[in-house]
Structures are given as C-alpha cells and as structure tokens.
Amino acid sequence: MNGYSFELITGPMSCGKTEELLRRIRRCEIAKKKIKIFSPAIDTRERGDYIKSRNGLAANAIKIEHSIQILHHVKPNDEIIAIDELQFFDSDIIKVITFLMNNGKKVIGSGLELDFKSEPFGHMPELMCIATRVDKLHAVCMKCGSEHATRTQRLINGKPADKSSPLIMIGGDEAYEARCIKCYELPDKNAVKTKKFSSMSLKLQDLVLR
Ligand SMILES: [Zn+2]
C-alpha cells in the first residue's frame, strides 16, 4: 500500500488486465484508502463512466481526453490513482504519472502492450520503463489452447487481418483474440507483392547458363 510507486499490469487482449486492476482497486477500498479511477474517453467498449472487466467486475471511473486532466481531478489527500487502458493515452501520461509518484501517490495502471501488428502500443514502452513493478499476464490462446498467449490477433471476417489493413475498419466483421506466438499470424500482402515483382539488379554480362 506504499505510495511513491507505479504498478503496471500488461499483456494481450483477454489476459485479465482490467480484472487484476479491479482486484487491486478493491483491496485499496477495503483498506479504506482514498482512490481515484480514470480511463480514456477513447475506450469504445464502455460508454458509461466506469471500467468493467470481461468477468463482470466494475468500478466508477472518470473519463479522460488528455492525460493532464488527471491532475485536475486528483486531490492532495488522494492516495491511490488507478488508470485503465493506458495504451490509449497521449505522451503526457509519462510526466503525469511521474509527477504523481514523486508526490507520494501509488499509481496502478493497466494497458495492452502490443497492437495487432505486434508492435508496441502507444506509450506502453516508456510506461513499462518508469513503472516500479510490471506484471505481464498471459491469456489462453484461442487457436491451440496454450495458456501462454502473449499476442493480440486481429480478425476481419474471421480471417487474420493483413498488416496493411486500416486501423479503423468500415464495414466487415472485426474481432480480436489472444494467441500464442506459434499461432499468431500477420499476413503482409504488400510484402509478398514486392518480393514477387522486385528486380534483383541483374547485369546482362553476369548471366550464365549452368
Ligand atoms: Zn496457440
């Protein structure tokens, strides 16, 4: 329960990040700590002013559009600051969390570490560096059942999405599922095309029949 800390919970889709965040929030409530909970306004999963895990746990949360707004809500006597979906916050979130830590607060956050292309999501890399504790949770692979899924597979109409697929899909049935590294697929149609048609800069005089 000590302040001056930042605990970060991360992992792929469906690994129980928000559930773990809510579990820690609940413990702080039992300990009668003063707590403020935030989530980004961009999170389309929940429209209401609360955060909710897939297993039905929930807590009231203040929706934030810019990181700096967190500081408008935190009062000097607040002890715990919980933040969900950290991958969606702007770069000022690093300074905001550092400021809160330096001022004796305990920050608990959760966020998706990789996007569907398996590339670092938003400012999660910097957040993982400044955190005083990082917990990486694993999900169950939706393809083979392995309990070590660390990747988030994007599916469009049931098929693995192409690397060049637009960030926001218009039409089409889009979904995400957790997968282990072995089952994770990222087709890159453009790369195949480039390989097939690219020149090898051959010189006529170097060609020979064997
Ligand atoms: Zn698998």
Side-chain angles (χ1 to χ4, degrees), residues 141 143-144 146 180 183:
C141 174
K143 204 170 178 197
C144 76
S146 155
C180 69
C183 297

Side-chain angles (χ1 to χ4, degrees), residues 190-209:
N190 290 338
V192 173
K193 220 180 271 176
T194 309
K195 201 175 170 188
K196 197 174 169 187
F197 295 109
S198 68
S199 142
M200 293 174 73
S201 304
L202 297 173
K203 290 192 182 75
L204 198 58
Q205 63 267 32
D206 296 333
L207 297 179
V208 61
L209 286 175

Side-chain angles (χ1 to χ4, degrees), residues 140-149 178-184:
V140 174
C141 174
M142 295 308 286
K143 204 170 178 197
C144 76
S146 155
E147 288 183 51
H148 302 288
R179 288 202 183 177
C180 69
I181 291 177
K182 204 175 75 179
C183 297
Y184 172 78

Side-chain angles (χ1 to χ4, degrees), residues 83-179:
I83 313 171
D84 196 22
E85 304 280 9
L86 274 168
Q87 77 276 8
F88 289 133
F89 282 82
D90 58 274
S91 63
D92 288 336
I93 193 66
I94 314 294
K95 286 175 197 156
V96 167
I97 291 178
T98 302
F99 174 83
L100 291 169
M101 265 199 288
N102 291 349
N103 281 276
K105 309 298 180 196
K106 172 175 170 164
V107 182
I108 317 171
S110 79
L112 201 57
E113 59 179 338
L114 298 170
D115 63 18
F116 81 96
K117 292 187 270 187
S118 266
E119 288 169 3
F121 209 135
H123 298 284
M124 289 300 287
E126 296 101 309
L127 291 169
M128 286 165 82
C129 287
I130 66 161
T132 52
R133 171 180 164 182
V134 177
D135 288 290
K136 282 196 172 204
L137 306 183
H138 291 176
V140 174
C141 174
M142 295 308 286
K143 204 170 178 197
C144 76
S146 155
E147 288 183 51
H148 302 288
T150 56
R151 299 293 184 263
T152 300
Q153 181 79 58
R154 183 192 209 181
L155 300 167
I156 295 171
N157 298 323
K159 294 199 176 70
D162 185 71
K163 193 173 184 173
S164 60
S165 65
L167 214 57
I168 297 162
M169 288 291 296
I170 297 161
D173 178 21
E174 187 193 22
Y176 293 90
E177 66 179 26
R179 288 202 183 177

